[in-house]
Amino acid sequence: MPGIKTTEIIMKKLLIKTYIASGSLALCAFGGWFQQCQAATDAMMSAGTLDLNVRPRYEQLKQHGKQQANAQTIRTLLGYQTGAFHHWYANLQFIDVSSLDTQYNSVLNKNAAYSVIPDPQATAINQAFVGYQGLDHTSVKIGRQIIILGDARFVGNVGFRQNMQTYDAATIENTAIPGLDLFAGYSWRIKNIFNQLVPMKTTLADLSYEVLPGNRMGIYGYWYANTSPHPVTGQAGCYLPGGPDACNSGIVGASWHGEATLAPDTHLLYTAAYAKQLPYHGGPAAINAEYTHLAAGLNWQALTGRFSYMLMSSNSNGTYGFQTPLATKHAYNGWAEIFLTTPITGLKSYEYTLAAKIGKANLMADYYRFSAARGSLHYGDEVDLSLTGKLLKNVSGGIQYADYRADKFAVNTQAAWAYLDYNFRT
């Protein structure tokens, strides 16, 4: 934030450098390679970069049957990436979330009288990985890292929450062929939004190719398995009874995102996606559902209008709806977050969006109509409003509002946010 002193930033940078250097030299001394590793450590520390992000936010949540929740939180991300030595580098990032009040249910604070705002106080290691860039157009990472694939519909970092989601994983990404992005990864553990470390066996494969200018095709497969001794609950759950493997599933699908120029300042926007979800690693046969997303829009100068249809189907018995356990879910099906876990009868949504850019300000209005994918049950409707923009060189901010009106699912919910976002790099 404005007012952060340069000396404080320098001290934090030196502290992280000390952590990385001390750890490296300790390992080297243990292995008998102190002098060689000291030279490598000096080279990597001299060309590194510091990243600082501070995001204070006020969130208010009103729900029928609960006391109004008010969360005033501040998230700080402080990271350092070393320079390269023989193509190797290291990245270390800390995360801290502090709360200025307790008038909300963070889940961990057990304030059950209030509505849930899952932003608990915590300090943790957000990222800690080593990377290798010695192969042509190829990036390799091993350790705790952020993974966002495509539009984060199936795999993301849940960046909206103050404690984000990161992965203990080994990943490789290749862009050697122009227009073609290849990604493969294996994750053995996840740091969730409560900073809990949950064991899993998850394989990720993603291919993205620019078929035409402005048109990108994607093919993907994501296989998720919870291997902790406890069943998955909350937004990563699936409403199926059973043990820890009750929600284990695999997703295979394809997508197309594109635009066509109709006039110099007018563009047609379109999206089509389909995916199939089946059981994986001991998951029950009840896991059998489909995902369909169709969208079309028109962009004219600074105005954009868009219509979207999304179907997350139910199985033939109406006992399981298509789930996305690793996704950044806040970005889809309403900011009120009523449908973080898909109902057992599935979810069908119609979304109408109008967006405009006025100077440095971005305005958006969304209207949703939600219903069951199986049967004719009308769940409810939602309106989302947003005003965001850049305020200063390193500062952006915004205010947002969501209003879900329940019919046959959940309860009336109103949520509001006001935030600032400060970024600094040196």
Side-chain angles (χ1 to χ4, degrees):
M1 298 298 298
I4 292 180
K5 297 179 180 178
T6 304
T7 54
E8 293 176 331
I9 295 171
I10 293 173
M11 289 302 296
K12 290 175 181 178
K13 180 175 181 179
L14 291 174
L15 181 63
I16 295 182
K17 277 188 172 184
T18 301
Y19 284 145
I20 296 176
S22 299
S24 301
L25 291 176
L27 290 173
C28 291
F30 182 78
W33 306 299
F34 184 82
Q35 291 183 343
Q36 298 92 324
C37 287
Q38 185 176 29
T41 301
D42 290 344
M44 296 172 78
M45 291 296 105
S46 65
T49 57
L50 175 81
D51 284 291
L52 173 66
N53 172 266
V54 183
R55 186 171 73 181
R57 181 167 70 190
Y58 171 72
E59 180 172 350
Q60 181 185 95
L61 184 60
K62 296 180 181 179
Q63 289 180 306
H64 179 73
K66 293 286 185 179
Q67 292 187 40
Q68 176 180 303
N70 300 280
Q72 301 176 66
T73 56
I74 301 175
R75 185 193 73 184
T76 303
L77 293 171
L78 181 62
Y80 185 80
Q81 182 163 302
T82 70
F85 183 79
H86 293 295
H87 308 296
W88 289 93
Y89 68 97
N91 186 297
L92 178 63
Q93 183 186 60
F94 296 98
I95 184 170
D96 175 80
V97 175
S98 300
S99 176
L100 304 181
D101 58 48
T102 58
Q103 295 180 351
Y104 70 102
N105 182 3
S106 73
V107 177
L108 298 187
N109 66 11
K110 300 180 181 179
N111 286 349
Y114 294 95
S115 295
V116 172
I117 298 177
D119 289 329
Q121 297 192 84
T123 301
I125 295 175
N126 196 53
Q127 295 193 88
F129 65 85
V130 294
Y132 181 73
Q133 295 177 324
L135 302 174
D136 191 33
H137 299 284
T138 301
S139 175
V140 177
K141 296 179 182 178
I142 302 173
R144 184 166 301 167
Q145 57 192 278
I146 293 172
I147 301 177
I148 302 174
L149 297 181
D151 54 8
R153 187 64 190 92
F154 299 116
V155 181
N157 69 330
V158 195
F160 174 77
R161 296 265 55 105
Q162 296 288 62
N163 290 288
M164 71 174 68
Q165 172 176 281
T166 55
Y167 302 78
D168 292 350
T171 63
I172 182 169
E173 187 170 6
N174 179 273
T175 57
I177 299 174
L180 178 65
D181 293 346
L182 298 173
F183 177 93
Y186 174 78
S187 177
W188 57 90
R189 188 167 57 187
I190 194 169
K191 182 190 78 65
N192 65 18
I193 62 172
F194 302 108
N195 281 313
Q196 298 167 334
L197 302 180
V198 183
M200 66 177 185
K201 293 182 178 178
T202 295
T203 302
L204 307 171
D206 192 275
L207 177 154
S208 177
Y209 181 65
E210 189 176 37
V211 182
L212 298 168
N215 286 260
R216 185 164 286 272
M217 175 192 70
I219 300 174
Y220 46 83
Y222 312 129
W223 296 270
Y224 161 80
N226 170 47
T227 57
S228 76
H230 309 292
V232 177
T233 58
Q235 58 185 276
C238 64
Y239 296 128
L240 285 176
D245 56 1
C247 300
N248 292 353
S249 65
I251 295 173
V252 176
S255 64
W256 187 292
H257 299 274
E259 64 175 63
T261 300
L262 304 180
D265 56 0
T266 305
H267 304 273
L268 177 66
L269 313 174
Y270 41 85
T271 294
Y274 173 83
K276 179 72 174 181
Q277 187 170 51
L278 292 170
Y280 171 69
H281 204 278
I287 298 176
N288 190 336
E290 299 174 345
Y291 168 87
T292 303
H293 183 204
L294 300 172
L298 193 65
N299 168 253
W300 176 71
Q301 296 185 356
L303 294 175
T304 300
R306 182 171 174 264
F307 167 75
S308 175
Y309 166 80
M310 187 176 291
L311 174 70
M312 304 173 79
S313 79
S314 174
N315 63 12
S316 60
N317 297 321
T319 58
Y320 177 87
F322 189 101
Q323 304 294 337
T324 57
L326 302 177
T328 298
K329 301 184 183 185
H330 179 83
Y332 298 93
N333 292 320
W335 296 338
E337 297 190 337
I338 302 299
F339 300 102
L340 296 179
T341 304
T342 308
I344 60 174
T345 49
L347 175 64
K348 185 190 299 181
S349 68
Y350 298 91
E351 178 188 6
Y352 305 84
T353 303
L354 183 62
K357 185 173 180 61
I358 303 175
K360 295 182 179 181
N362 300 299
L363 295 87
M364 190 178 74
D366 256 340
Y367 168 74
Y368 291 90
R369 184 169 180 83
F370 300 110
S371 60
R374 183 178 178 84
S376 57
L377 195 67
H378 174 230
Y379 291 153
D381 302 273
E382 181 170 330
V383 173
D384 295 344
L385 303 172
S386 175
L387 170 61
T388 62
K390 194 165 186 177
L391 304 176
L392 298 169
K393 179 181 178 181
N394 296 323
V395 181
S396 60
I399 53 175
Q400 297 175 314
Y401 176 76
D403 186 354
Y404 174 78
R405 298 302 173 96
D407 185 4
K408 304 296 183 183
F409 188 85
V411 297
N412 291 345
T413 300
Q414 292 84 42
W417 303 266
Y419 71 93
L420 294 173
D421 199 293
Y422 171 79
N423 286 288
F424 176 84
R425 167 175 279 196
T426 183

